[in-house]
Amino acid sequence: GATQEMLMRRLRPLAVIAAALVVVAATYTVRDQPAAGTAPSGTADATADEAVAALSLPGPRGELAEIDRLIGAYEQRITRHTTPGDYRILGGLHLERGRLTGDVTAYIRSETALNRALQLYPDDLDAQNLLAAVRHHTHDFMGARELAAGVVARDRGRLDAVALVGDAELALGQLDEAAHAYRRLEEALADSPAVQVRLARLAWLRGDVPVATTSAALALTAARKAGVRGHELAWYRSFAAQLDYDLGDYTAAERGWRKALREAPGYHVPTAGLARALAAQGRYDEAIGLYEEAVATLPEPETVAALGDLYTLTGRQDQARVQYDTVEVIATLSEVNRRVFDRQLAFFYVNHGLHPDRAVTIAEAALRARPDVYGHDVYAWALHAAGRHHDARAASDRALATGAPDAALHYHAGMISAALGQHDRARRELAHALELSPEFDPLQASRARTTLAGLDRLQRVGSR
């Protein structure tokens, strides 16, 4: 009914945890401030529903144009009269813009508007929950959990806040707590694509591939049945394609990402995904063209580095150097960029033989903020690069503990084992990485094969 549709609308924007880009802090000139504690007006709420309904143009460019129009209208409104509801709506629009584009600037502007809304009306649960979503997007996961849990404590029926609590727990490595939150969502909205995609992510981290792939397929089917389209439908399809890629089925991944691009032409998520799938098939020139397109839309460090790697593999060293120099600039441009891109920068340093001690420092801080599987993994990889192989072993073992079938985790573990002289274990781990996804990374998969071949030669020599 209407209540379920309202919950679906609240849950749906939480499905995408997008990458982020350049931060430009924004401030607003505020006039005619009402007394603190004034409740948001019913008119503002009705306008919010109209704003949501208006976001119906096909494809990300059309949606973005409509969002920008609404942002301009609300920025004008707050110069003429100030209500908490107007600031809340403006904050929600900036959040949606950030979700669509991956631009951290939008999240910062959203936070500014939402903080103002809460100054005017501190008890606004909608504003609190939107602010929790912003903090999640900017990787303040503890802050997101605290805010969302506060909303749930005051209104246990707020499934949008329950979803955010679960997402924050997942990011913080608390899989059982995340599962508890997601069970509540599933009991209420089992057919929601936003719920199914969360169940898929949780299952993947726990190593349950059948449940992960089934839930991803259910999410996509549910999204289509619910009338989801444009970039949102493309995101669900991209999620399923990424699972295909991670499981080594690059043809299926290519097919999924191509469909996603037909649903949302120009959307950076499937553009970069398709580039990965083509690179894994050795189609470097096609992949480079797509990476160039993705970087032009959203120059986030991981994608920029991937483009640089393909330039390296095709002998374009000067172009590769430009991309590699750009990675560090983007990742360290501001405090929020450093937080959002901390793992990407640490991986970039290690994978390209740069600044091992700096990589350890970054990875250690990233682990404190986000102690999940990949937090332990990046810390292990950085410690390995710095020659601290025994410490790296302990961190890598923690990364492997949940059973996530990620080839990179097993590749890192195998390289650490090789450095420790644990050759039998190294062979098993490297072989498993390549079995999971033979071309999981254009440079690193090649290194895995080279190291494994060397270990095999040592074994043959030793057996003579």
Side-chain angles (χ1 to χ4, degrees):
T3 301
Q4 185 173 20
E5 177 57 29
M6 177 187 69
L7 292 170
M8 283 283 291
R9 193 168 64 242
R10 285 176 171 173
L11 276 172
R12 209 176 283 159
L14 302 177
V16 181
I17 305 303
L21 186 61
V22 180
V23 178
V24 179
T27 58
Y28 294 96
T29 302
V30 182
R31 303 175 189 169
D32 304 323
Q33 301 175 9
T38 303
S41 68
T43 302
D45 289 340
T47 308
D49 288 338
E50 292 168 6
V52 170
L55 303 179
S56 58
L57 295 175
R61 291 192 182 96
E63 293 172 64
L64 184 59
E66 183 60 18
I67 289 171
D68 286 343
R69 185 189 70 77
L70 290 166
I71 286 173
Y74 273 91
E75 286 176 341
Q76 286 297 313
R77 280 175 66 96
I78 64 173
T79 66
R80 294 192 300 270
H81 60 88
T82 302
T83 71
D86 286 344
Y87 278 101
R88 169 166 43 80
I89 294 166
L90 181 59
L93 288 166
H94 279 302
L95 173 60
E96 182 67 10
R97 192 184 199 286
R99 188 177 73 88
L100 181 60
T101 64
D103 184 357
V104 167
T105 302
Y107 297 133
I108 299 305
R109 289 175 174 162
S110 177
E111 184 170 11
T112 300
L114 293 169
N115 279 333
R116 183 60 184 147
L118 289 168
Q119 286 175 354
L120 297 171
Y121 180 50
D123 293 332
D124 187 343
L125 296 187
D126 286 331
Q128 290 175 25
N129 206 63
L130 285 169
L131 185 56
V134 171
R135 290 185 177 170
H136 193 287
H137 279 289
T138 55
H139 292 195
D140 177 7
F141 300 109
M142 293 180 186
R145 180 177 62 182
E146 181 180 359
L147 266 174
V151 172
V152 174
R154 294 181 58 188
D155 183 354
R156 287 187 55 80
R158 288 293 300 255
L159 296 186
D160 52 347
V162 173
L164 269 170
V165 170
D167 295 346
E169 297 287 15
L170 198 70
L172 294 169
Q174 303 298 317
L175 301 191
D176 290 343
E177 288 80 354
H180 176 73
Y182 293 166
R183 276 195 297 274
R184 282 197 59 193
L185 300 180
E186 188 177 18
E187 288 167 3
L189 294 169
D191 294 332
S192 164
V195 173
Q196 288 298 327
V197 83
R198 285 174 165 83
L199 297 176
R201 178 63 173 160
L202 178 63
W204 174 264
L205 290 172
R206 286 177 158 175
D208 192 338
V209 172
V211 169
T213 54
T214 298
S215 295
L218 287 172
L220 180 57
T221 300
R224 294 171 66 183
K225 286 182 178 178
V228 172
R229 58 177 177 165
H231 84 277
E232 195 170 342
L233 180 60
W235 188 88
Y236 284 108
R237 197 178 295 281
S238 292
F239 183 92
Q242 183 64 50
L243 287 184
D244 288 330
Y245 178 91
D246 289 336
L247 293 170
D249 192 344
Y250 308 127
T251 302
E254 177 189 352
R255 186 165 55 247
W257 275 314
R258 286 195 187 279
K259 288 181 180 178
L261 278 174
R262 287 196 292 272
E263 291 156 351
Y267 185 26
H268 63 272
V269 172
T271 302
L274 181 56
R276 284 195 296 277
L278 294 176
Q281 297 174 64
R283 296 155 65 181
Y284 290 163
D285 288 340
E286 294 174 79
I288 284 171
L290 285 161
Y291 271 133
E292 288 173 340
E293 182 181 337
V295 165
T297 303
L298 178 64
E300 71 84 51
E302 186 175 32
T303 307
V304 174
L307 176 57
D309 289 347
L310 292 189
Y311 282 147
T312 295
L313 288 170
T314 54
R316 309 180 210 181
Q317 301 299 336
D318 290 342
Q319 289 172 279
R321 193 172 302 110
V322 170
Q323 300 305 314
Y324 293 156
D325 289 345
T326 303
V327 169
E328 190 167 13
V329 172
I330 296 170
T332 60
L333 190 64
S334 73
E335 181 181 349
V336 177
N337 284 59
R338 286 191 289 271
R339 184 169 69 237
V340 169
F341 297 130
D342 49 8
R343 291 179 178 179
Q344 294 187 31
L345 184 58
F347 274 128
F348 171 73
Y349 282 159
V350 176
N351 289 341
H352 297 85
L354 301 170
H355 316 303
D357 292 334
R358 194 183 307 171
V360 170
T361 299
I362 294 169
E364 193 169 27
L367 179 60
R368 285 196 299 270
R370 193 178 184 184
D372 66 350
V373 167
Y374 295 101
H376 290 293
D377 180 53
V378 70
Y379 187 45
W381 198 225
L383 289 168
H384 166 68
R388 296 168 56 184
H389 306 305
H390 288 285
D391 293 336
R393 166 88 299 147
S396 177
D397 286 347
R398 284 190 286 272
L400 294 172
T402 70
D406 190 315
L409 300 178
H410 294 276
Y411 162 63
H412 297 155
M415 297 298 281
I416 291 165
S417 295
L420 289 169
Q422 300 169 353
H423 293 169
D424 289 342
R425 177 173 177 174
R427 277 194 299 275
R428 289 194 302 273
E429 289 166 336
L430 293 172
H432 187 49
L434 294 169
E435 179 184 5
L436 285 169
S437 186
E439 298 294 339
F440 63 89
D441 178 275
L443 291 182
Q444 303 309 313
S446 176
R447 292 170 183 169
R449 283 190 292 272
T450 299
T451 303
L452 183 58
L455 291 169
D456 286 341
R457 283 194 298 272
L458 282 174
Q459 184 184 40
R460 287 195 297 271
V461 170
S463 63
R464 290 176 184 171

